[in-house]
Amino acid sequence: MTALLNINQALSAQAAADRPGWLVQRQADGLDRFQKQAWPTRRTEAFKYTPLRSLTDHEWQPTTNQGAIPGIQFDHWHDVRIEIRNGFLTNVPTLPDGVALKRFSELSEDERNSLSRKLESQAVDFLFDDLNQALVDDIYCLSVAANIAVSKPIHLDYAMSGDQQIVVSQFLILVDANAQATVAETFTAEGGAQFINANTAIVLSENARLTHYHLLLEEGDIRHVGRVSATLDRYADLNSFHMAAGGVLKRKDITVCHKGEGANLNLNGVYLPIGKEIIDYHTTLEHEVPHCTSEEIFRGIISDEARAIFNGRIHIHKDAQKSVAEMNNRNLLLSDKAEINTKPELEIYADDVRCAHGATIAQLDEKLLFYFQTRGISKAEAEVMLSFGFINELLEALTDDPVQQLLRPMLATLFAQKKAELARHII
Amino acid sequence: MLTIENLQAKVEEKDIIKGLNLTVRPGEVHAIMGPNGAGKSTLGNVLAGREGYEVTAGSVLFNDENLLDLDAEERARKGLFLAFQYPVEIPGVSNMEFLKASVDAVRESRGQEAYSSVDFIKLVREKSKEVNLPADFLKRGVNEGFSGGEKKRNELMQMMLLEPTLCILDETDSGLDIDALQVVAEGVNAQRSPERSFIVITHYQRLLDYIVPDYVHVLAGGKIVKSGGKELALELEKEGYRWIEGENA
């Protein structure tokens, strides 16, 4: 019973559309499952600290605008920029050799079934996945062919514009055996109240390597809920960076599953809620097979009356001997009213593994602030520099300079807020 | 330059400084020695304006201005410099970024123009060579992973860049081997000038072999209990602090 979320308007518009049979069935299945689920409350473990009131207080409409909406452009990156506007693929540039972008609606039944199975293999019991399936009109699949190393980064530039609208998207990213690629997903929005439900599923074949950015940069009256899931085959390598800042509510569930021996994951992220924003990351690492490694670092800076939730689960299956998995979550609270709920969870069923997890919550260290002051730097500026420094370690680890160049000024502005002139020190 | 009269201060409700008098004139080097727990480091922190170090009585004039009215950063901008016993590590904030912010702030308050980035980098490279710090440290986090000696040399370099008029060296010798101590002491000596004064806080006489003071004061129980010339340090080294405590008992 999910009557609390008002999507009736969005659904009826769908019904009027001329939809192919497979889509009708897929959406009906999604809707059916969605409606059978209970709407999360504070007693729902996965949403215990994440109030969803901001989702239920609107009558969400389907999106109408697929026109020109400014997105984000990286400087000096020579990226291949694919525009996704209000959930729809609107502009596909010439793609590098070995890279293909397909719409499920254009595929043969066999192809579609084959890709659907990949997607379904990553399905979990998650309310917003069902919602996504109920509403999404097409699925986009970006694929990199075997043995191709794509030198140009591929930018999935999601931009939203509208009011009272719900925007859904589902991307499937396939990197075939021995292929390499960089994919950056950025989300921005303009306009009024919006509810974004964006899913990305990643499949890395044997020895495939992907550098992946998933940056939730929407500001304003925005809610963003969705999932990033990935499966890694033998010796596959996923290097993933997440960021969330701005908006009313952001909730991302990240699931990475080691399916082949020797797979490696680096998963980093930062969340920076200010004002009364709520940002929630739920991550799950599944070690299903032996000899895989995972390293996860998430850091948050929570200001004002904002709230953050971090839930990091590591699940080492019975057969996954010699697993190495480390997770670390550090949080900086900048105000007395800021709130962080962090929960590391280790579930280990194999006996020969190396796992570690840690979570810390701190305020700015008075000793450090004093050191700045004795060098003539005001306390306010020291706070900005220290906050920035806290996450700068993760930014510096990014291998793509243009991503750093995009994020640094944003962060500088965010921390400095009205003290924008201080940004000059961030060089 | 600095006149401290009847200074009393407490930390966490505990009286540490209990009526301290000290006058430092331009160009002078004063050593403050004393046993552990005498209040030496507290004095440094009080003068530099650290929160939680509460002055309960007395006055401190710095260039005829009431120092105690100023925030820590204002004191620094007006020419007071505290070299820390244990400089903190600041991961994520690069040395270069930190130095630029610091020098910009101090120069701005003095009405001096900010250095351009290019000029500043040049200047810092020069200074880092003088204190024998490798160039790559500028990109690293402030003091991050530095050895004890490197941290102290970094303090010295900051001092050189900020050009303070009063330098308080808090146990600069701690954690340094004799070679590192010599390097730092030479650097400090090179900074001595008729306009610049030093307060050298130390437990051991050793440092004063290299930084030769004009005056030596013994701090015990929160007060200066004995003052003299540099020979007092040698006497202390020979007799130990118990000698002073015995004399004052």
Side-chain angles (χ1 to χ4, degrees), chain A residues 1-308:
Chain A
M1 216 313 275
T2 44
L4 278 165
L5 185 71
N6 194 333
I7 53 162
N8 293 331
Q9 295 292 326
L11 282 172
S12 58
Q14 298 279 329
D18 182 17
R19 296 172 297 165
W22 68 271
L23 183 63
V24 171
Q25 188 57 48
R26 190 176 185 276
Q27 290 182 334
D29 291 347
L31 183 63
D32 186 47
R33 281 204 311 275
F34 178 71
Q35 287 175 333
K36 280 179 181 152
Q37 296 216 37
W39 183 250
T41 66
R42 289 183 63 180
R43 287 181 297 279
T44 314
E45 185 61 27
F47 290 90
K48 194 170 176 183
Y49 304 104
T50 314
L52 299 177
R53 281 187 302 275
S54 62
L55 295 180
T56 53
D57 57 4
H58 290 265
E59 269 185 48
W60 299 111
Q61 310 287 326
T63 175
T64 49
N65 175 13
Q66 294 181 31
I69 306 168
I72 272 196
Q73 234 160 340
F74 289 97
D75 288 334
H76 315 294
W77 210 20
H78 311 294
D79 50 319
V80 177
R81 183 156 157 259
I82 296 167
E83 292 180 12
I84 302 119
R85 296 295 176 257
N86 280 341
F88 293 93
L89 200 54
T90 52
N91 185 30
V92 182
T94 311
L95 297 170
D97 287 346
V99 178
L101 182 57
K102 291 174 179 163
R103 295 169 165 86
F104 267 39
S105 56
E106 296 168 349
L107 297 175
S108 72
E109 194 174 343
D110 284 352
E111 272 184 300
R112 194 170 54 242
N113 287 341
S114 152
L115 292 182
S116 289
R117 276 194 296 277
K118 288 189 197 294
L119 207 53
E120 278 156 23
S121 75
Q122 299 196 357
V124 292
D125 188 14
F126 188 55
L127 178 80
F128 292 104
D129 273 10
D130 299 331
L131 177 67
N132 187 285
Q133 184 173 333
L135 297 180
V136 87
D137 271 329
D138 207 345
I139 298 164
Y140 306 122
C141 177
L142 179 76
S143 60
V144 181
N147 305 314
I148 298 276
V150 186
S151 59
K152 285 187 175 181
I154 297 163
H155 178 189
L156 301 182
D157 177 30
Y158 299 81
M160 275 57 72
S161 176
D163 190 21
Q164 310 298 322
Q165 70 171 358
I166 182 165
V167 174
V168 288
S169 62
Q170 171 73 63
F171 243 93
L172 179 61
I173 297 171
L174 306 177
V175 185
D176 214 338
N178 308 311
Q180 283 183 36
T182 297
V183 175
E185 296 183 280
T186 62
F187 295 81
T188 52
E190 57 175 34
Q194 296 176 67
F195 176 15
I196 295 151
N197 179 200
N199 281 0
T200 303
I202 297 167
V203 179
L204 301 189
S205 298
E206 194 170 318
N207 207 31
R209 302 171 74 89
L210 178 69
T211 300
H212 177 229
Y213 301 94
H214 195 81
L215 311 173
L216 313 183
L217 308 173
E218 311 98 321
E219 291 176 2
D221 198 3
I222 303 296
R223 305 114 189 95
H224 182 131
V225 177
R227 210 158 71 86
V228 173
S229 56
T231 52
L232 278 62
D233 206 338
R234 282 161 51 91
Y235 300 103
D237 187 291
L238 175 62
N239 192 342
S240 194
F241 179 79
H242 290 256
M243 175 168 150
V248 175
L249 167 72
K250 285 182 180 170
R251 159 70 181 252
K252 207 86 205 185
D253 288 57
I254 301 164
T255 311
V256 179
C257 189
H258 287 308
K259 296 252 183 214
E261 294 191 17
N264 176 58
L265 166 72
N266 284 83
L267 174 63
N268 291 349
V270 296
Y271 44 92
L272 311 152
I274 60 170
K276 292 188 173 186
E277 296 168 4
I278 301 169
I279 298 180
D280 177 353
Y281 274 107
H282 268 59
T283 72
T284 303
L285 312 184
E286 299 278 358
H287 280 245
E288 293 188 2
V289 295
H291 296 287
C292 293
T293 51
S294 299
E295 191 180 343
E296 177 178 357
I297 302 174
F298 268 72
R299 288 196 183 173
I301 300 178
I302 304 102
S303 313
D304 309 324
E305 294 172 51
R307 176 189 290 196

Side-chain angles (χ1 to χ4, degrees), chain B residues 60-212:
Chain B
V60 180
L61 289 181
F62 179 50
N63 293 329
D64 301 323
E65 199 169 357
N66 184 357
L67 188 73
L68 303 176
D69 278 351
L70 304 174
D71 287 337
E73 61 262 35
E74 290 171 317
R75 299 180 195 197
R77 291 170 190 170
K78 288 185 188 290
L80 186 144
F81 184 90
L82 173 65
F84 283 76
Q85 181 179 5
Y86 301 112
V88 292
E89 299 195 11
I90 312 173
V93 178
S94 80
N95 251 304
M96 186 55 103
E97 190 185 322
F98 181 78
L99 293 172
K100 181 89 166 69
S102 168
V103 171
D104 278 358
V106 169
R107 285 182 70 88
E108 192 183 326
S109 76
R110 291 177 189 161
Q112 293 167 311
E113 215 173 300
Y115 286 110
S116 74
S117 289
V118 177
D119 287 349
F120 188 72
I121 289 168
K122 227 165 102 186
L123 177 71
V124 172
R125 286 222 177 106
E126 226 168 78
K127 298 288 180 198
S128 66
K129 215 177 260 176
E130 280 180 43
V131 298
N132 200 16
L133 278 170
D136 78 309
F137 98 107
L138 291 167
K139 285 185 186 164
R140 279 156 59 189
V142 178
N143 292 324
E144 195 182 3
F146 286 23
S147 71
E150 285 172 328
K151 284 180 185 170
K152 297 293 164 77
R153 277 181 276 156
N154 197 17
E155 297 287 285
L156 181 60
M157 192 181 71
Q158 291 172 8
M159 186 200 292
M160 289 159 70
L161 285 167
L162 295 179
E163 300 175 333
T165 50
L166 175 64
C167 306
I168 303 165
L169 311 183
D170 187 7
E171 308 256 2
T172 288
D173 47 338
S174 74
L176 294 189
D177 62 30
I178 202 77
D179 293 333
L181 181 62
Q182 277 181 357
V183 172
V184 172
E186 274 167 28
V188 169
N189 286 330
Q191 296 296 303
R192 288 176 74 158
S193 81
E195 296 80 37
R196 185 170 293 141
S197 314
F198 289 82
I199 295 175
V200 181
I201 296 172
T202 182
H203 185 82
Y204 300 104
Q205 188 268 338
R206 188 178 69 158
L207 177 66
L208 305 181
D209 286 342
Y210 300 99
I211 304 173
V212 180

Side-chain angles (χ1 to χ4, degrees), chain B residues 10-27:
Chain B
K10 61 181 180 181
V11 184
E12 290 171 358
E13 295 306 308
K14 201 175 158 199
D15 294 321
I16 308 282
I17 307 276
K18 301 169 185 169
L20 185 145
N21 297 292
L22 180 68
T23 303
V24 179
R25 286 175 290 268

Side-chain angles (χ1 to χ4, degrees), chain A residues 285 313-317 345-350 355:
Chain A
L285 312 184
R313 178 167 174 254
I314 298 176
H315 181 191
I316 311 284
H317 294 237
E345 287 181 70
L346 277 182
E347 273 181 62
I348 303 175
Y349 298 101
C355 291

Side-chain angles (χ1 to χ4, degrees), chain A residues 367 371 373 375-376 379 425, chain B residues 51 73 77 102 155 158:
Chain A
K367 265 196 293 195
Y371 192 75
Q373 288 179 281
R375 299 304 178 250
K379 203 170 174 181
H425 294 308
Chain B
E51 274 178 38
E73 61 262 35
R77 291 170 190 170
S102 168
E155 297 287 285
Q158 291 172 8

